[in-house]
Amino acid sequence: METNIAKLKKAIQEKLAPLKVAHTRLAHRNQRPNMELTLDTAQYQLVNEVQNVESAIKALEAQLKISEDSLKALVRNELELQEDIRIKSKSLHIDDELCKDLRSTIDYTHY
């Protein structure tokens, strides 16, 4: 689970560089003078690329949140199980050691 979270974080970081490049290209295109400031195929492709990368990052972030929530739930579950084991071990100790003398005095053959 931890490796999955690390891979997701790495994938998000790897997507940030292409997103920044696409944003920079769009910013440079928007700073062109009058006649060169046109909405051509390259402009549409850049906008599409930005949208695709942003949606991919959002999907990765959603998956990361799901994985982190799952990990938290697993850790909580582990702590609950450890506490349950501790209580049951203590109960077994009480039953085996402390009640042994009491049980040895009871005659079970009459029951």
Side-chain angles (χ1 to χ4, degrees):
M1 186 64 74
E2 289 92 358
T3 56
N4 187 28
I5 290 173
K7 287 179 183 178
L8 286 170
K9 287 180 180 180
K10 183 180 178 189
I12 291 171
Q13 288 298 320
E14 289 173 352
K15 294 282 184 188
L16 292 177
L19 180 64
K20 187 171 181 171
V21 168
H23 276 296
T24 304
R25 287 181 182 163
L26 273 176
H28 287 166
R29 287 184 67 84
N30 289 333
Q31 293 174 358
R32 289 183 170 185
N34 296 333
M35 287 297 286
E36 292 181 19
L37 186 60
T38 60
L39 295 176
D40 57 354
T41 307
Q43 178 81 15
Y44 292 127
Q45 289 297 328
L46 277 173
V47 171
N48 191 25
E49 181 182 349
V50 167
Q51 291 172 345
N52 287 342
V53 173
E54 285 177 345
S55 66
I57 289 173
K58 285 180 184 176
L60 287 170
E61 287 173 343
Q63 186 63 40
L64 177 63
K65 177 155 178 32
I66 290 169
S67 294
E68 287 175 339
D69 291 345
S70 296
L71 180 62
K72 286 178 186 176
L74 286 172
V75 169
R76 263 194 317 271
N77 225 0
E78 180 185 21
L79 291 174
E80 289 173 5
L81 287 171
Q82 287 175 349
E83 177 66 15
D84 195 34
I85 289 171
R86 188 189 65 79
I87 291 170
K88 288 181 181 186
S89 296
K90 191 171 184 176
S91 297
L92 284 173
H93 171 71
I94 290 170
D95 190 47
D96 286 344
E97 299 298 323
L98 303 178
C99 295
K100 188 184 264 186
D101 294 333
L102 180 64
R103 271 189 264 124
S104 65
T105 61
I106 299 174
D107 186 17
Y108 294 109
T109 57
H110 292 24
Y111 299 109

